[in-house]
Amino acid sequence: MNSLPLLSLSIWVPIAFGLVLLAFGKDKNAQIVRSVALIGALVSFAITLPLYFGFDSNLANAASMQFVEKMLWIERFNVHYVLGIDGLSLWFVLLTAFITVIVVIAGWEVITQRVAQYMASFLILSGLMIGVFSATDGLLFYIFFEATLIPMYIIIGVWGGANRVYAALKFFLYTLLGSLLMLLALLYLYNKSNGAFDILVWHQTPLSLNAQILLFFAFFFAFAVKVPMWPVHTWLPDAHVEAPTGGSVVLAAIMLKLGAYGFLRFSLPIAPDASHMMSTFMITLSLVAVIYIGLVALVQEDMKKLVAYSSIAHMGFVTLGFFMFDKMLPLNQGVAMQGAIMQMISHGFVSGAMFLCIGVLYDRMHSRKISDYGGVINVMPKFAALLMLFTMANAGLPATSGFIGEFLVILGAVKFNLWIGLLAATALILGAAYSLWMYKRVVFGKIANDQVARLKDLNSREFLILLLMALAVLAMGLYPKPFTDVTQPAVDALLKHTSASKILPEVKLVPAASK
């Protein structure tokens, strides 16, 4: 199975389908365009499945790169086209391909203009994001990382709401400017490692503490904006509100994970001593996101904004789990970092499903205001039942995927520091408060107005995509073992690596012997 270039196929097949749609897709053939896009998404997802079934989850192998592909790309600068996945990246490749299938189906009837360009943007974006999770060459990673901005910029700017141009430009500038410092960091590491762009070589390159601190902040500005962490989060609510439903789903489910993944692949292993030194700073920012942004979500009147702020709070859990370095504590076995990764995967399912549900209502009433709804359960019982599941998962209900990550991070936080654990646990209260408050006002009670009274329940297409998301949320919540078995060895290896100092030893000058 390893003889097939599965990672290259996972990247370039959806991109190829997207380019075909751009070249030949016409609105007069919209149905054919949709069919070709769906075939492309399904084929791309099918290609990623052998990555899971062929992945060796043995403790030693799961922490090392598998399905490796390598070829010389730019000989003069020793740049290679190198792909590989380990336990940290496998599930994100699968999640990306799965979500792409969902958004293609979700936009089947909703998008009626520039259908080919819309579908092509998501297929191309899918391939680029898989490239980010698969690249082990620093320059290749940077190219994929930056290239993802282009299709998402187009998706928001063309098919978004009334303020779509402002939101698209804000999204693009925030994320692009943050990444420029990362490029300087990559060039520094290239020179420091004797002309190598190999990320795994950089992991073993000894650096002075000052160099590590500078590299840490260079990576921080690139990845913190992408997560996004407080206080560089302000682009996300605008992007979500103005983006079409499919754009919001991909943005929340996958693109936010690119920043968190960057911390795992660059900040922690390349600058471990600086990461330890800056851990209090990162934990503080994470707790602010968890608590303050949770309170901000509580007062939102727009459903999309509420879920957008909810995403920021949940991603605060992720960065909190990364920087407690709980492997150093006895009997803790890296539960906080493991929980952070579980939270990343779960958030992909839950937040994506929440935005899909909001899209269902918006397609019918063209309003996202909570006050415009009420009594939806009376006319849309199937929808109300599925939305209840996703709302409970967003609040961290046991037996749903949302519980797994939050429980493990809080468990690790309590063992790390009781007060940090208590502050982190407030997210469960706040999450339940804003999630259930929104559900109560939208779904329960008497029918609010004539528009609500005319609503129709889910059609077969909508029911299918929400059912698939519901199955994913329940499967991960009830049986997380397939997820933890793959990620745990890689987490242990990363924590072991970060616990060993990588500070460049000082050279002591010995005075010459006097004659």
Side-chain angles (χ1 to χ4, degrees):
M1 189 166 297
N2 288 8
S3 61
L4 287 174
L6 291 174
L7 290 175
S8 287
L9 291 172
S10 301
I11 294 169
W12 298 110
V13 166
I15 291 176
F17 271 93
L19 293 176
V20 168
L21 289 178
L22 288 178
F24 302 105
K26 305 293 182 184
D27 279 352
K28 62 181 180 180
N29 300 320
Q31 201 61 25
I32 297 175
V33 167
R34 296 184 183 104
S35 300
V36 171
L38 181 58
I39 291 170
L42 290 172
V43 169
S44 302
F45 179 57
I47 291 170
T48 64
L49 293 178
L51 295 173
Y52 174 74
F53 293 109
F55 190 83
D56 187 352
S57 57
N58 179 276
L59 291 180
N61 295 332
S64 58
M65 291 296 170
Q66 301 183 37
F67 302 98
V68 175
E69 303 171 28
K70 183 174 183 178
M71 57 178 263
L72 188 61
W73 181 21
I74 306 174
E75 184 175 1
R76 181 178 179 182
F77 299 105
N78 195 29
V79 180
H80 289 77
Y81 174 84
V82 192
L83 305 175
I85 55 171
D86 60 3
L88 298 177
S89 49
L90 171 64
W91 274 107
F92 298 110
V93 173
L94 293 167
L95 179 63
T96 302
F98 173 73
I99 292 296
T100 303
V101 175
I102 296 295
V103 296
V104 168
I105 300 174
W108 196 270
E109 298 173 357
V110 178
I111 303 300
T112 57
Q113 295 182 335
R114 299 187 181 94
V115 179
Q117 291 79 7
Y118 179 86
M119 297 296 182
S121 297
F122 281 105
L123 289 170
I124 293 171
L125 180 59
S126 174
L128 295 174
M129 291 189 296
I130 291 175
V132 173
F133 294 124
S134 305
T136 60
D137 179 273
L139 185 59
L140 185 65
F141 174 92
Y142 182 80
I143 291 171
F144 280 131
F145 189 81
E146 292 298 274
T148 59
L149 301 181
I150 300 172
M152 182 53 72
Y153 175 78
I154 294 171
I155 289 167
I156 298 172
V158 176
W159 293 277
N163 294 320
R164 58 185 180 274
V165 175
Y166 166 78
L169 190 61
K170 189 175 182 181
F171 156 76
F172 191 87
L173 291 178
Y174 262 70
T175 49
L176 177 66
L177 293 175
S179 300
L180 293 178
L181 288 176
M182 179 173 70
L183 179 59
L184 295 178
L186 300 183
L187 294 176
Y188 174 83
L189 288 166
Y190 172 77
N191 291 321
K192 202 69 179 176
S193 58
N194 298 319
F197 273 111
D198 192 327
I199 297 173
L200 301 182
V201 171
W202 292 347
H203 289 181
Q204 305 301 327
T205 302
L207 301 163
S208 68
L209 182 58
N210 288 336
Q212 286 196 35
I213 292 172
L214 290 174
L215 287 171
F216 179 88
F217 278 105
F219 290 132
F220 170 80
F221 285 112
F223 301 138
V225 171
K226 206 86 164 183
V227 167
M229 296 182 68
W230 181 89
V232 289
H233 66 282
T234 57
W235 63 269
L236 184 66
D238 291 324
H240 270 309
V241 168
E242 299 303 327
T245 298
S248 292
V249 171
V250 170
L251 190 61
I254 311 296
M255 289 200 74
L256 303 190
K257 314 304 181 295
L258 300 183
Y261 178 77
F263 281 119
L264 292 175
R265 194 61 81 202
F266 287 86
S267 302
L268 293 172
I270 293 175
D273 301 285
S275 296
H276 279 272
M277 180 177 290
M278 302 307 300
S279 61
T280 301
F281 169 72
M282 296 298 292
I283 289 171
T284 301
L285 293 184
S286 301
L287 288 174
V288 170
V290 168
I291 300 170
Y292 168 68
I293 300 299
L295 292 171
V296 172
L298 197 57
V299 298
Q300 296 305 310
E301 297 179 356
D302 184 297
M303 287 186 284
K304 259 197 172 184
K305 269 198 173 180
L306 188 150
V307 178
Y309 281 111
S310 167
S311 292
I312 299 169
H314 283 109
M315 292 304 292
F317 254 90
V318 172
T319 50
L320 177 65
F322 285 170
F323 285 91
M324 286 190 290
F325 299 107
D326 49 334
K327 182 67 177 179
M328 302 178 69
L329 301 176
L331 304 178
N332 214 15
Q333 300 302 309
V335 293
M337 186 174 287
Q338 176 74 290
I341 296 172
M342 292 299 102
Q343 177 77 344
M344 289 168 67
I345 301 170
S346 168
H347 183 259
F349 295 131
V350 177
S351 66
M354 292 291 288
F355 281 115
L356 286 170
C357 289
I358 294 170
V360 167
L361 293 176
Y362 183 80
D363 291 340
R364 287 158 169 76
M365 285 185 53
H366 300 288
S367 173
R368 293 183 298 266
K369 288 187 176 180
I370 295 173
S371 58
D372 289 342
Y373 293 89
V376 170
I377 193 171
N378 297 289
V379 290
M380 301 178 69
K382 293 179 184 177
F383 171 81
L386 288 167
L387 179 58
M388 171 61 81
L389 172 63
F390 301 133
T391 302
M392 290 299 183
N394 201 48
L397 183 74
T400 66
S401 63
F403 174 75
I404 304 299
E406 291 188 2
F407 171 76
L408 291 176
V409 172
I410 292 172
L411 177 62
V414 168
K415 292 183 178 182
F416 180 79
N417 182 288
L418 178 61
W419 291 106
I420 290 177
L422 289 174
L423 289 173
T426 60
L428 298 177
I429 301 171
L430 292 173
Y434 57 68
S435 298
L436 294 177
W437 175 81
M438 181 185 76
Y439 188 87
K440 171 184 177 293
R441 295 187 64 189
V442 171
V443 176
F444 288 147
K446 297 179 180 179
I447 295 176
N449 51 58
D450 292 339
Q451 283 185 294
V452 174
R454 289 193 296 268
L455 291 178
K456 295 182 179 179
D457 209 350
L458 299 172
N459 59 37
S460 57
R461 176 186 57 83
E462 294 166 335
F463 183 75
L464 172 64
I465 58 175
L466 292 180
L467 179 63
L468 290 173
M469 298 296 274
L471 291 175
V473 168
L474 289 173
M476 185 176 180
L478 294 171
Y479 191 64
K481 190 173 184 295
F483 299 89
T484 56
D485 283 353
V486 168
T487 57
Q488 187 63 57
V491 168
D492 288 341
L494 178 58
L495 288 170
K496 182 179 179 180
H497 176 83
T498 57
S499 66
S501 176
K502 297 295 183 297
I503 296 179
L504 188 68
E506 296 182 3
V507 178
K508 295 183 178 180
L509 298 176
V510 181
S514 59
K515 296 183 179 179

